[in-house]
Amino acid sequence: MDGSANVWIIGGYQSDFARNLTKENRDYAALTEEVVDGTLTAAMMDASDIGVVHVANAFGEMFASQGHLGAMPATVCDGLWDTPASRHEAACASGSVATLSAIADLRSGAYDTALVIGIELEKPVPGDIAAVYLGAAAWTGHEGADARYLWPSMFAQVADEYDRRYGLDDSHLRAIAQLNFVNARRNPNAQTRAWSIPDPITADDATNPVTEGRLRRYDCSQMTDGGAGLVLVNDAYLRDHPDVRPIGRIEGWGHRTVGLGLQQKLDRAADDPYVMPHVRSAVLDALARARVALDDMDGFEVHDCFTPSEYLAIDHIGLTGPGEAWKAIENGEIEIGGRLPINPSGGLIGGGHPVGASGVRMLLDAAKQVSGGAGDYQGEGAKTFGALNFGGSTATTVSFVVGTTKGA
């Protein structure tokens, strides 16, 4: 990024993803108030000092009959009354797209401070209905009609494509799940931190039944209620507030959008060594803007909505050659303390996946890592950390690189 237009993270907040907010009778207003208050407190900033608000949410209208969520922060926080705000929807990448909009605002100089929040309620309806609602992020009417659960079916197809091209042992998918559940036990906000997970996870039909295709229960991320937030500022704000100490700097980003259809993507990439070349391009864009190589990275939070999506992320960020993610899994390279820890937070499978909040949560966890604030899942000496967020079947892909605040 241009050194004259840096964007800094000065604080953030994540709700406890293990909570069932629906059972607590907490609606979008209550969740928004919690996330706004928690984020501003962490950033030590008054609401009246926020220049612009960006709200990420994917499915408010469907799960809770609540739209127009860009106006919810002002609804619950008097200090944000009159503050410009907008809502962003890009399926599971909604949080990252909201963040990109905030970055653009800050780099343009239109505003010096931005509040980004991601919020999602997924438990107001039964799980089977929730799965139908989430299917709206696919190409409705053109794919998934024969699947009971659309998204597990789609990512089972991704696994099948890897198997067709390179061979795929399902034990490597189960190893991804196992590691993310183990990491989640270290994270006080992780949805599954207290769950009893089989060790090892096997293909046992009783404890780990088939969901769709080759994917089983523990290959899948969770239905989650929750939110996350960040306060971002630009150089001008830091010059005027020399006592503010950021927790991270957004050093690079990549953003690619392709068609909704999974088969569209697979067909177009049939002759490419990468199953989803646009995902690879998004990561390379982020690294290039940050002027770093993968070997300079100290870890990644990636979008493990299902184990095949993390398998895909491993080779697409370049940790292995195409189709060789299994090598990094077998060699322990993605474990905390390994060559490139992936999802030390527990990711989506272990940590939880409130869709509109996941991109914001990933970026917050990256900032925690580079500022030494990740607690029991802290990577030793982490200085540069990445995030890779997918929307739908990777139709919207966003990657970030977060660095330390040295020189702030």
Side-chain angles (χ1 to χ4, degrees):
M1 286 177 61
D2 181 352
S4 65
N6 292 302
V7 174
W8 307 87
I9 303 169
I10 65 169
Y13 174 83
Q14 178 192 337
S15 69
D16 181 350
F17 285 2
R19 291 165 59 198
N20 186 322
L21 299 178
T22 303
K23 286 186 177 179
E24 297 177 19
N25 294 316
R26 295 173 66 82
D27 60 6
Y28 268 112
L31 176 58
T32 302
E33 183 175 18
E34 176 187 341
V35 174
V36 169
D37 288 350
T39 303
L40 292 174
T41 298
M44 293 183 286
M45 182 175 283
D46 292 332
S48 58
D49 294 325
I50 295 295
V52 65
V53 180
H54 292 276
V55 178
N57 174 266
F59 296 108
E61 291 89 342
M62 301 178 79
F63 281 89
S65 300
Q66 181 63 67
H68 202 177
L69 284 164
M72 190 59 81
T75 304
V76 299
C77 179
D78 286 345
L80 295 176
W81 198 271
D82 265 345
T83 304
S86 54
R87 179 260 189 105
H88 303 264
E89 185 277 309
C92 304
S94 298
S96 292
V97 169
T99 302
L100 288 171
S101 295
I103 291 171
D105 277 344
L106 297 173
R107 297 189 78 212
S108 74
Y111 306 97
D112 293 337
T113 61
L115 171 66
V116 179
I117 68 167
I119 49 175
E120 205 77 56
L121 295 176
E122 298 180 5
K123 296 186 175 180
V125 302
D128 55 346
I129 296 175
V132 172
Y133 287 169
L134 294 172
W139 193 4
T140 304
H142 293 264
E143 58 184 355
D146 296 332
R148 181 184 177 195
Y149 299 115
L150 184 142
W151 286 115
S153 173
M154 300 282 269
F155 280 92
Q157 286 182 249
V158 172
D160 290 344
E161 179 67 12
Y162 266 100
D163 202 0
R164 186 186 69 80
R165 292 189 183 198
Y166 300 108
L168 177 63
D169 186 333
D170 288 350
S171 67
H172 293 123
L173 300 181
R174 293 194 290 272
I176 286 172
Q178 193 91 60
L179 178 58
N180 288 341
F181 285 122
V182 167
N183 288 348
R185 294 186 192 124
R186 302 171 178 244
N187 182 351
N189 287 317
Q191 185 169 356
T192 72
R193 63 185 184 270
W195 288 19
S196 178
I197 304 296
D199 187 4
I201 294 173
T202 68
D204 178 71
D205 287 338
T207 61
N208 193 22
V210 170
T211 303
E212 284 282 351
R214 67 201 299 163
L215 298 194
R216 294 174 176 270
R217 174 187 178 188
Y218 292 122
D219 288 299
C220 306
S221 61
Q222 316 308 321
M223 295 289 184
T224 313
D225 289 346
L230 298 165
V231 172
L232 308 179
V233 303
N234 61 14
D235 289 335
Y237 182 85
L238 288 190
R239 284 194 297 267
D240 293 341
H241 299 81
D243 294 334
V244 171
R245 290 290 175 262
I247 62 171
R249 180 167 71 99
I250 298 177
E251 297 187 341
W253 73 93
H255 178 196
R256 297 293 177 109
T257 305
V258 297
L260 284 167
L262 174 59
Q263 195 60 49
Q264 277 186 302
K265 293 186 267 290
L266 297 179
D267 289 345
R268 290 175 70 100
D271 297 324
D272 195 287
Y274 290 96
V275 172
M276 299 288 184
H278 63 282
V279 172
R280 174 72 172 149
S281 298
V283 174
L284 291 176
D285 287 348
L287 295 174
R289 285 191 170 105
R291 299 175 184 171
V292 297
L294 188 68
D295 286 343
D296 300 315
M297 304 295 291
D298 296 305
F300 252 90
E301 286 287 325
V302 307
H303 198 92
D304 59 315
C305 51
F306 301 93
T307 52
S309 65
E310 181 167 331
Y311 195 89
L312 179 146
I314 291 169
D315 68 0
H316 282 57
I317 63 178
L319 185 56
T320 71
E324 297 180 338
W326 61 271
K327 294 181 179 179
I329 297 166
E330 286 195 355
N331 294 335
E333 295 179 36
I334 64 172
E335 298 173 13
I336 295 174
R339 175 186 167 197
L340 189 76
I342 290 181
N343 289 338
S345 69
L348 281 58
I349 287 174
H353 183 26
V355 171
S358 285
V360 181
R361 193 278 305 162
M362 287 183 192
L363 198 53
L364 174 59
D365 266 318
K368 287 179 179 178
Q369 289 287 343
V370 302
S371 62
D376 289 343
Y377 58 100
Q378 176 69 47
E380 184 177 355
K383 301 297 182 186
T384 310
F385 223 85
L388 178 59
N389 188 198
F390 301 152
S393 55
T394 75
T396 302
T397 297
V398 183
S399 184
F400 290 108
V401 173
V402 179
T404 64
T405 61
K406 184 177 180 180

